[in-house]
Amino acid sequence: MGLNISAKIDKSSGFCFGVVYAIEMAEDILEREGSLYCLGDIVHNDEEVERLTKKGLKIIDHQQLESLQDEKILIRAHGEAPSTYQLALKNNLTLIDASCPVVLKLQNRIKTSHEEDEQILIFGKHGHAEVIGLRGQTDGKAIVFQDLAELDQMELPKKFTLYSQTTKSTEKFYHIKNELINRGFEVKANDTICRQVSNRYIELEHFVANYDKIIFVSGKKSSNGKVLYDVCKKYNEQSYFVSSIEEIDHGWFNQNDKVGICGATSTPMWLMENAKNALEAF
């Protein structure tokens, strides 16, 4: 006898418009031409990357890009630093630019701040593709930090401009801003967090409260996934993080459980639908 689980997918979960745009662009070219280079993982989700790789998408890194000539390269939603565009001109590469408009706007704002000789701090994840592109607008001079504790180890100027990676927590950003002002710094703060992402915190908070258990589906590389999973865990302790259907454990559930399924902005809807089908088959 089965567990008789009823599972429902959160309608606000799944790809944000920036990721949808990049994937649709890739699929159009793959359908026509059968292959396409992409600089870095098109999305921080291994299952979706694998699906597109089977269609002919070739993931390359910056080192491999340097040796390519006369090729077509997709720039994913995270955006790129100016050096990538300079290399493309030098190597006669055609860039298919799927940079998210929210990220492009932020890049331009940071570039303007840098040109006006402002000292720039970026609240973001070290090594994240978007953050590398943002820091690139400042010739590598912006200070990137992941939390306040990191800033405690630094000698900061008295006056600076504060920006944020687009997928960071709004709450944390304002906490950092207020704390720095309280410490006597002159902070010009720019809230550059994507509202399509930040609105999900509120939506998730309401969604997860309605279920016995929560299955949060996300790639392990997704920084947005980590933040959203923390929201799930905060409002429903019975929340479980999985990257693939195989990771769902039968032992987590009881008879007649109501299970909510949600995911990151990099989680494909088909993967959440697979999770729903797997749960209802238990």
Side-chain angles (χ1 to χ4, degrees):
M1 186 181 152
L3 287 177
N4 193 33
I5 289 171
S6 65
K8 189 175 178 188
I9 299 170
D10 169 30
K11 65 180 190 306
S12 69
S13 281
F15 291 153
C16 61
F17 71 86
V19 172
V20 169
Y21 178 62
I23 287 175
E24 282 180 352
M25 206 178 267
E27 287 189 313
D28 284 350
I29 293 167
L30 289 170
E31 226 161 86
R32 287 198 312 272
E33 301 176 23
S35 73
L36 173 67
Y37 288 105
C38 178
L39 187 53
D41 285 347
I42 191 166
V43 63
H44 286 149
N45 187 281
D46 292 344
E47 307 260 328
E48 180 66 4
V49 169
E50 190 186 336
R51 184 184 75 84
L52 291 165
T53 302
K54 284 175 180 166
K55 289 189 168 199
L57 192 70
K58 296 170 187 168
I59 308 292
I60 56 164
D61 58 25
H62 287 82
Q63 203 177 336
Q64 291 166 302
L65 182 72
E66 285 176 30
S67 60
L68 289 179
Q69 299 220 339
D70 314 313
E71 294 285 1
K72 202 176 270 187
I73 317 287
L74 182 81
I75 301 293
R76 59 202 170 151
H78 301 98
E80 278 294 320
S83 54
T84 300
Y85 295 87
Q86 288 153 11
L87 179 67
L89 284 171
K90 190 178 118 194
N91 288 6
N92 194 35
L93 300 169
T94 304
L95 295 183
I96 314 297
D97 202 337
S99 299
C100 170
V102 177
V103 174
L104 285 178
K105 188 179 173 187
L106 171 53
Q107 285 186 351
N108 288 330
R109 287 176 72 177
I110 287 178
K111 187 171 186 285
T112 302
S113 285
H114 175 64
E115 285 167 355
E116 289 170 2
D117 288 327
E118 295 174 6
Q119 175 59 63
I120 295 162
L121 265 67
I122 300 170
F123 170 44
K125 182 182 177 184
H126 292 291
H128 189 282
E130 181 191 321
V131 174
I132 292 167
L134 297 178
R135 195 162 182 258
Q137 310 303 318
T138 70
D139 298 324
K141 289 177 183 163
I143 296 167
V144 175
F145 68 99
Q146 291 187 176
D147 52 39
L148 276 168
E150 211 176 317
L151 293 181
D152 293 339
Q153 319 302 318
M154 297 179 193
E155 194 69 46
L156 294 176
K158 289 303 290 175
K159 180 182 179 183
F160 50 79
T161 304
L162 178 65
Y163 286 98
S164 171
Q165 181 181 338
T166 58
T167 52
K168 281 292 181 189
S169 155
T170 319
E171 192 183 334
K172 278 187 187 163
F173 176 77
Y174 282 102
H175 171 70
I176 287 165
K177 172 200 161 187
N178 294 332
E179 181 58 32
L180 290 169
I181 289 168
N182 290 341
R183 291 181 187 183
F185 292 105
E186 192 182 323
V187 183
K188 181 178 167 188
N190 294 274
D191 176 354
T192 51
I193 293 160
C194 173
R195 285 303 177 259
Q196 199 187 358
V197 174
S198 64
N199 288 345
R200 291 196 181 181
Y201 305 149
I202 301 145
E203 288 158 355
L204 263 189
E205 185 184 322
H206 295 304
F207 177 78
V208 301
N210 298 318
Y211 297 91
D212 300 310
K213 310 278 162 60
I214 295 295
I215 294 296
F216 186 85
V217 189
S218 171
K220 290 183 173 72
K221 294 178 196 167
S222 169
S223 51
N224 158 253
K226 289 182 182 72
V227 174
L228 290 174
Y229 173 64
D230 286 344
V231 175
C232 292
K233 198 79 177 158
K234 184 178 175 183
Y235 294 99
N236 188 326
E237 282 189 4
Q238 299 287 303
S239 294
Y240 300 94
F241 187 109
V242 301
S243 296
S244 66
I245 306 315
E246 290 72 34
E247 292 174 17
I248 300 174
D249 188 335
H250 197 283
W252 292 340
F253 308 100
N254 300 318
Q255 197 76 30
N256 301 321
D257 264 350
K258 280 171 64 192
V259 181
I261 300 166
C262 41
T265 54
S266 51
T267 304
M269 187 54 73
W270 63 263
L271 195 52
M272 289 184 282
E273 282 164 358
N274 284 359
K276 182 181 191 293
N277 294 337
L279 287 166
E280 290 181 339
F282 277 174

